[in-house]
């Protein structure tokens, strides 16, 4: 399917477990992002990537790890999940210099619950 | 640190009304500003993007304005419809932040038939 997809859409896990959220885009956009959305905080940037093998921290990176070996994939790993990481996670991508320059396109989100 | 505020947090109006959503930001050094729509349980959809050199952008019944010097943007929705019910978020791209966006917390809009 064309566009940006996330999997799983829903995940329940336990404190201390490792969890990986997947993000895949079919546009070959150079930039990809991970956000979390929480009541009272809005959307906050966790990590972003400007290209394959280039990643950088956002506003709330602690407890998360990312990698980007291929342009189209940008997985987010919670190495040891905590209850405070219960949230809705959104992946996004953008293509600076292309049509609709700077527009970020969002995936449908993953609702993660840490018990 | 850039902060983005959207007031009101929620708004309910009857169908057919014209309405304005507000967004303010603390640092005028922005690269651009985007308005997004979010439906319940869904991701964000970009509605309009205004570059810092622009004053407004229009798409159909939507018009977004930007006054960078005063740190304000408005989203005008003409002839509102029940299908416009959603949460509307604004976000600014900060110049120092290589594609990074800072979001407001959104305005939840309800259009009553």
């Amino acid at each position: 399917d064309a566009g940006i997809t996330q999997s799983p859409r829903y995940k329940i896990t336990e404190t201390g477990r490792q969890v990986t959220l997947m993000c895949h885009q079919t546009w070959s956009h150079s930039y990809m992002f991970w956000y979390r959305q929480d009541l009272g905080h809005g959307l906050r940037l966790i990590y972003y990537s400007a290209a394959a093998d280039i990643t950088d921290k956002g506003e709330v990176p602690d407890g998360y790890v990312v990698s980007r070996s291929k342009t189209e994939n940008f997985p987010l790993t919670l190495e040891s999940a905590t209850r405070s990481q219960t949230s809705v996670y959104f992946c996004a991508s953008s293509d600076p210099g292309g049509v609709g320059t700077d527009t970020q396109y969002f995936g449908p989100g993953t609702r993660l619950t840490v018990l | 640190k850039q902060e983005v505020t959207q007031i009101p947090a929620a708004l309910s109006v009857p169908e057919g009304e014209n309405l304005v959503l507000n967004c303010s930001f603390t640092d005028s050094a922005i690269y651009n500003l985007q308005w997004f729509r979010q439906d319940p349980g869904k991701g964000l959809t970009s509605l309009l993007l205004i570059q810092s050199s622009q004053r407004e952008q229009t798409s159909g019944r939507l018009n977004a304005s930007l006054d960078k010097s005063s740190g304000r943007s408005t989203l005008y929705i003409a002839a509102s419809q029940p299908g416009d019910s959603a949460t509307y978020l604004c976000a600014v791209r900060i110049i120092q932040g290589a594609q990074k966006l800072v979001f407001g917390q959104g305005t939840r809009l309800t259009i009553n038939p």
Side-chain angles (χ1 to χ4, degrees):
Chain A
D1 292 339
I4 183 165
T5 57
Q6 295 183 234
S7 62
R9 294 292 315 280
Y10 303 90
K11 177 73 176 179
I12 299 174
T13 191
E14 295 177 339
T15 301
R17 290 190 180 267
Q18 183 179 82
V19 176
T20 296
L21 309 183
M22 304 301 293
C23 179
H24 175 79
Q25 52 107 352
T26 60
W27 296 304
S28 299
H29 285 173
S30 57
Y31 273 83
M32 295 188 75
F33 308 83
W34 275 107
Y35 295 90
R36 59 179 290 175
Q37 187 175 36
D38 305 285
L39 280 173
H41 291 282
L43 272 150
R44 292 178 292 174
L45 182 65
I46 304 170
Y47 269 96
Y48 70 101
S49 169
D53 296 323
I54 300 174
T55 62
D56 204 352
K57 296 177 180 179
E59 183 183 354
V60 288
D62 293 343
Y64 303 96
V65 174
V66 294
S67 62
R68 195 166 176 207
S69 58
K70 293 184 178 181
T71 300
E72 61 267 30
N73 297 324
F74 191 37
L76 176 74
T77 297
L78 289 66
E79 292 192 301
S80 179
T82 65
R83 290 194 183 89
S84 65
Q85 293 177 310
T86 293
S87 186
V88 181
Y89 291 85
F90 289 100
C91 179
S93 70
S94 70
D95 180 29
V99 176
T101 299
D102 281 359
T103 299
Q104 289 196 14
Y105 299 89
F106 281 74
T110 294
R111 184 175 294 276
L112 175 67
T113 301
V114 182
L115 301 177
Chain B
K1 179 184 173 185
Q2 178 74 267
E3 293 183 359
V4 180
T5 304
Q6 292 185 247
I7 295 173
L11 181 65
S12 180
V13 300
E15 180 178 4
E17 282 203 2
N18 302 323
L19 58 99
V20 174
L21 306 181
N22 297 296
C23 172
S24 61
F25 46 94
T26 55
D27 188 342
S28 62
I30 65 168
Y31 193 79
N32 60 41
L33 182 144
Q34 279 187 258
W35 282 93
F36 293 87
R37 169 186 172 134
Q38 185 176 26
D39 293 288
K42 301 289 178 65
L44 281 67
T45 300
S46 180
L47 297 173
L48 291 164
L49 184 149
I50 311 176
Q51 301 292 351
S52 62
S53 59
Q54 297 176 320
R55 294 300 298 263
E56 65 179 272
Q57 281 285 338
T58 298
S59 175
R61 294 183 294 108
L62 305 180
N63 176 277
S65 68
L66 174 64
D67 183 344
K68 204 172 68 165
S69 61
S70 68
R72 294 179 186 275
S73 177
T74 62
L75 179 66
Y76 175 83
I77 302 176
S80 59
Q81 303 171 357
D84 294 330
S85 297
T87 296
Y88 291 81
L89 298 101
C90 72
V92 298
R93 178 181 162 187
I94 53 180
I95 291 179
Q96 308 92 324
Q99 292 282 315
K100 287 193 267 190
L101 296 180
V102 178
F103 282 83
Q105 294 198 29
T107 294
R108 188 172 68 252
L109 176 65
T110 303
I111 307 299
N112 301 303

